[in-house]
Amino acid sequence: MSNGDKMKTACVTGGSGYIASALIKMPLEKGYAVKTTVRNTQASLMKLIETSDDMAKNSHLKHLQALGPLTVLRADLDEEGSFDEAIAGCDYAFLVAVPVNLASGEDPEVHRQRVKEVIEPAVRGTLNVMRSCVKAGTVRRVVLTSSVSSVYFRPELQAGDGHVLDEDSWSDVDYLRAQKPPSWGYRYCASKVLVEEAACRFAAEHGVSLVTVLPVITVGAAPSLNVNTSVPACLSLLSGDEVALGVLKVIERISGSVPLGHIDDLCRAELFVAEEPAAPGRYICCGLSTTVVELARFLAHKYPQYDVERNLRTVDGQLLEKPRACLSSAKLVREGFEFKHSTLDEIYDNVVEYGKALGILPK
C-alpha cells in the first residue's frame, strides 16, 4: 500500500460468533483495519478476555489481533446508537450479530407470547446498526448475513422433484404459522424474512447500498471455539448426537436437500459482494446440495473409524436418496465469484479436526 492510499476499514458485528470470527480474519489478512463488536460489558479487550466468564468465548479476538489492526468494542443490538463508534469511519459494515436468544428452545405453549420478544428485537437491532451506518457517512456498502431459511420454507417443496430455488424465492411466513413448527424454527426463519424485508425498506429510504448474503449449513474451522448449530449438525453422523442429526433431517424434509457450504467460501463471498460492483440484493452462497444418505456414505468411506451406519440407524422416518430441490448460487457466480469448495471432500477438509477442538468429537 502506497503512502497515499488509505487503509480500508471494515466493521464486523458479533465478533464472538462462529461466522463473524472467520469474517474478521479474512480482511485482516488482506490488509484491512477491522472493528468488531461484542455484547460484553467490559470495554477493554484485555479485561474482556481475562474475565473468566468470557475467556473461552472471546479469547480468539486477542489471537486475531496478531494479524493486523483489530479494535474490539462493546455494542448491543438493543441499545440505540451503541454501534456508532464501531461503524464510524468504516468503508464496509458486515452485519452478523443476532439476538442471543433467537434460537433458544421453549415450551410451545408460551411460544406466541415469546415471538414478539425475539423477532421484534432482531428487526430493531438490524435497523439500529443500519442507522449507525447512515450516521457514519463513510460506509460504501452494508452486507447483511441472513440465512437460506428465508428462502426454502415453502409449501410446494413438500411434493415433487427438481425444484431450483434462487434469490426470488422467499419463505412463506403465513405457511410457517399454519404449520406450527418447533418454536425456535418459526422464530428463526420468520425473523430472517422480516429482518431482510425491514433492512431493504430502510436501505431504499436512506440510500444505503445493501447486499444480503444467504448462507446454507456452514462447515469448516473458524477462529472462534463457540459451538453453533451447523458444525454439530454436520458432524452428527460421526459423533452420534441424535439431536444434531435431527437438525439435518428436518432441513432435508423441509427444503428438499441438505445444503452445505464452506465457511471460507462464505467469508470470501461476503468480501466479494462488498468490494466488487455487484448489484444490490440477495445472494445465495451454497457450495453443494446433498442428502443425509449421501452424506453418510461419504463420511463412512472417509472416516471408517466412526460408526456412521449405526448413527444413521437412529434416524426415524424416510430419508431422500437424492435431493428433491437445490439452492442455486448462479447469481453469485454470474457476478464473477468462484467457489473453492464444491464437493463433500473439499467442504469437509478441516471440520473433523475443528470438531475435536470443540469437543464434539474425541481427540
Side-chain angles (χ1 to χ4, degrees), residues 20-69:
S21 71
L23 190 52
I24 291 167
K25 180 181 178 183
M26 198 165 286
L28 283 173
E29 291 175 333
K30 292 185 68 174
Y32 276 66
V34 178
K35 298 179 180 181
T36 192
T37 62
V38 295
R39 281 184 86 245
N40 189 278
T41 56
Q42 300 288 348
S44 163
L45 177 61
M46 289 307 297
K47 288 183 180 178
L48 176 70
I49 64 172
E50 290 174 1
T51 302
S52 59
D53 291 344
D54 299 298
M55 180 71 76
K57 187 175 183 181
N58 295 305
S59 60
H60 64 280
L61 296 175
K62 184 178 181 181
H63 299 305
L64 286 170
Q65 282 193 316
L67 299 177

Side-chain angles (χ1 to χ4, degrees), residues 152-153 182 184 217 229-230 232-237 239-254 257-258 292 295 311-312 314-319:
Y152 61 58
F153 273 83
W184 70 266
I217 303 170
T229 303
S230 65
C234 291
L235 292 175
S236 59
L237 284 162
S239 69
D241 184 335
E242 294 184 21
V243 173
L245 183 53
V247 172
L248 291 186
K249 180 189 173 185
V250 168
I251 291 173
E252 178 183 274
R253 177 174 57 81
I254 294 173
S257 71
V258 176
V292 173
L295 186 56
N311 295 333
L312 186 61
T314 66
V315 177
D316 295 325
Q318 188 174 2
L319 295 172

Side-chain angles (χ1 to χ4, degrees), residues 336-352:
F337 181 78
E338 295 182 8
F339 283 88
K340 291 186 177 179
H341 305 80
S342 56
T343 67
L344 284 173
D345 200 49
E346 292 166 343
I347 289 172
Y348 272 80
D349 62 351
N350 58 12
V351 71
V352 168

